Amino acid sequence: MKLTLLVSAGSVIVSTLAVELVSDISIISEYWGQIRPYADNAPGYFGVEFTGLPNGCGIEQVHQLQRHGARYPTSATEDGVDDQALASKISAFISGGGKFTGALSFLSGYQQDIDSSGLLVETGAAQLFTSGTQFWNLYGRLLYGANPGQPYYNASNPDGTPRTKPVIRTTSQPRILQSAIFWAQGFFGFQTNTSDLYDLVVIPEGGTENNTLASYDSCFNDDVVPLGVLGDIDVFTYIPLYLQDATARLQQYIEGDNFTLTVNDTYAMQSICAYEYSLLGSSDFCGLFTLDEWKGFEYTLDIEYYYDYSYGNPTGRAQGVGYVQELLARLQNQYITSSNSSVNSTLDNNAATFPLGQPFYLDTSHDDIIISVLTAMSLDYLKPTLPLDVFPPPEDRPFKLSHLTPFGGRLTTEVIGCAVANPEAKQYPETTYKIFTNGYDPTNAPFKFIRMRLNQGVLPLTTIRGGFCPRKDGLCALNDLIASQVNLTQLANYDYGCFANQTEVIANFNFDGAAFPA
C-alpha cells in the first residue's frame, strides 16, 4: 500500500514522497519479536548445514524447556502500561470532541479489548496444545514404542503393566501453569482423567524462592533499577530513532488541539497490533507502518532482551545457570543436593519432584529464561553486541527474538545414541518411522550425543566457547558437552551478579553476561 503525504505550504498543497506501508500480516508478524505467534525455524536456520540424524543413531531421551503461549500484555511500561495509556488517551480525546480521520478513522469508535493481566489467551492455549501433539508425533511415539495409528500416549506398557508416570514441572504463575496443562492435553490426548496420567510439580513463582523456571525471583539484582532494566531503558532510547517519521505521518489524521501523538504512542500502536492479532485475529493498527518501521519494532525487543537477560546484562548468565545445572544433572543421572544458584535443592534431591531416567522432560517457563540458559551455556552464536544507534537495524544479527522465543517457543535437547564414536554427518533429515529406523539398534548404541533445537532449528553447538563440540551436524558427544560446561558456575558468578551492590556490578561488567569483582 502506498500512502502519499500532502503537506500544506501556504495556499499550495505539495506532494511528498510516497510511503510504502505493509498490510500483509504474514510479513508484519515476522517482526513481532517475542510476541510473535509460534513458527518453526527451518532445521538449518542457525547455520547448521547438516541437519540429518546420522545412520546408526537414534533419539533416546528428550528434554524440552517450553515457553508459555500467547498472552495478554503485561504490566511492563513498554508493554501493557503504554498500550493502556494510549487507549485512555484516545477515549478522552473522543469524549472531548476530537476527531480521527483517514488512516486513523477507525479510532473514532475504538474500544480496547486487551488488558495488562499477562494471562494466557485462547490462541496461546491452542499453541501449547499443538506443541504437546507435535512433541508426541516427533518424539513420544518413538520413545514409547507407539503402535501404528496410536494418536497419543498410552499409560500401559506393551505387556499391560502400568508405566511410571512422567513428571512435568511448571511454575505457579497462571499462564505458565495453564500452558503446562494444555501441553499435557496435547501429548496425553483426550483420555479419561488425562491429568491422572502424569504428575505435575508446581514450583512457586512471585516471591524470593529458588526456581530455575523463574530464576529472577531469587536473583535480586534483576529487580533493581537500573541494573534489572538496562534493556528496557535502551528501548526508549531507540524508539525515537525509528518512529519520528511515522509519528509525524499519523499526526495529520488527528483533528483537535488536545492530542499530540508521541513516539511512545506510536510504539504502543505497533504493540497493540500484535496483541490484538493474537486475541481478535486482526487489528486496524497493523497497516499503519512501513517494513523498516516494523524492523525497528522487532529490534527494540531484541535490544530489551539482549541487555536484560543475555550477554548484555551482568545477571544474564546467573538467570540461566540453574536450568543448565539441572539439565546436566539429568543427563548424568544425578540429583542436586545443594544449590549455588536458582536451583531448589529441596525439590531436586529426590525422585518425586526431580526424577531421573525419564524418556522425556517437560518444563514450562518464560522466554527470558530460555535466553539466559543459552547465554549461561556460552552459546556464542548469540553473543555479537546489538548497536543502539543504527536504523534500520543490522539484518545479519543472530539475536532475533522472533526466531528465538516466539509465543510457544521451545528449547529441545535430544539425547542420541549411536553405534560408533564418530558417525558420518547426514545433510538432510529423513522421517523416522520407528525407533530402529536408520540402522539404529538400542542394544548397540554405546556412544551418546547431544543435539539441541530451538523451535526446530538445530543450534550450532560448535559456537559453545572452548571448541568442545566441533561436529558440523549439531551433534556433540555427551562427555564433551559436559566438559564444555565445566566453568558454567564460575562464569555465571551467581552471588556477585545477583546480590552485590548494583553500581559495583555494572562498573565491573565486561559484556559477557556476568560481572566480576574488580
Side-chain angles (χ1 to χ4, degrees), residues 4-25:
T4 301
L5 300 184
L6 298 178
V7 182
S8 176
S11 60
V12 180
I13 301 294
V14 294
S15 175
T16 65
L17 184 66
V19 176
E20 288 280 357
L21 303 181
V22 186
S23 59
D24 186 340
I25 200 69

Side-chain angles (χ1 to χ4, degrees), residues 167 169 201 203 210-213 321-330 333-356 361 363:
V167 171
R169 299 191 314 169
V201 174
I203 308 172
N210 280 18
N211 182 348
T212 59
L213 306 180
V321 65
Y323 177 82
V324 182
Q325 289 172 330
E326 290 182 329
L327 175 62
L328 294 173
R330 287 168 168 171
N333 289 305
Q334 298 172 352
Y335 294 119
I336 302 177
T337 58
S338 63
S339 175
N340 55 11
S341 68
S342 60
V343 166
N344 187 323
S345 56
T346 301
L347 295 177
D348 288 5
N349 69 1
N350 66 88
T353 51
F354 194 74
L356 302 175
Y361 294 90
D363 295 303

Side-chain angles (χ1 to χ4, degrees), residues 54-233:
N55 292 333
C57 297
I59 295 171
E60 299 181 342
Q61 187 183 65
V62 183
H63 306 247
Q64 186 144 299
L65 182 59
Q66 172 74 58
R67 189 198 176 192
H68 61 78
R71 54 161 173 77
Y72 287 97
T74 68
S75 57
T77 300
E78 69 277 13
D79 201 37
V81 172
D82 267 5
D83 295 356
Q84 293 290 308
L86 176 62
S88 298
K89 188 173 178 178
I90 291 169
S91 178
F93 180 65
I94 294 172
S95 298
K99 183 180 179 181
F100 293 100
T101 64
L104 295 184
S105 59
F106 71 93
L107 292 178
S108 298
Y110 182 69
Q111 181 175 346
Q112 191 171 91
D113 286 325
I114 58 176
D115 61 19
S116 55
S117 65
L119 294 174
L120 201 70
V121 299
E122 290 297 303
T123 53
Q127 288 163 351
L128 266 293
F129 180 86
T130 299
S131 179
T133 61
Q134 288 178 335
F135 192 91
W136 168 259
N137 291 335
L138 288 172
Y139 301 116
R141 62 184 182 84
L142 300 175
L143 297 172
Y144 288 100
N147 295 317
Q150 182 180 330
Y152 40 69
Y153 174 88
N154 188 326
S156 299
N157 291 304
D159 62 4
T161 59
R163 297 187 191 275
T164 301
K165 281 186 181 181
V167 171
I168 290 175
R169 299 191 314 169
T170 179
T171 83
S172 62
Q173 189 181 88
R175 67 176 177 266
I176 308 298
L177 176 58
Q178 292 166 4
S179 290
I181 293 170
F182 282 114
W183 189 97
Q185 287 179 341
F187 181 85
F188 293 100
F190 289 110
Q191 306 182 56
T192 303
N193 299 323
T194 297
S195 60
D196 293 339
L197 301 178
Y198 62 96
D199 289 328
L200 189 64
V201 174
V202 181
I203 308 172
E205 176 178 355
T208 60
E209 61 283 310
N210 280 18
N211 182 348
T212 59
L213 306 180
S215 55
Y216 37 75
D217 279 354
S218 59
C219 184
F220 295 170
N221 274 343
D222 175 72
D223 232 4
V224 177
V225 177
L227 177 56
V229 292
L230 294 177
D232 304 68
I233 295 169

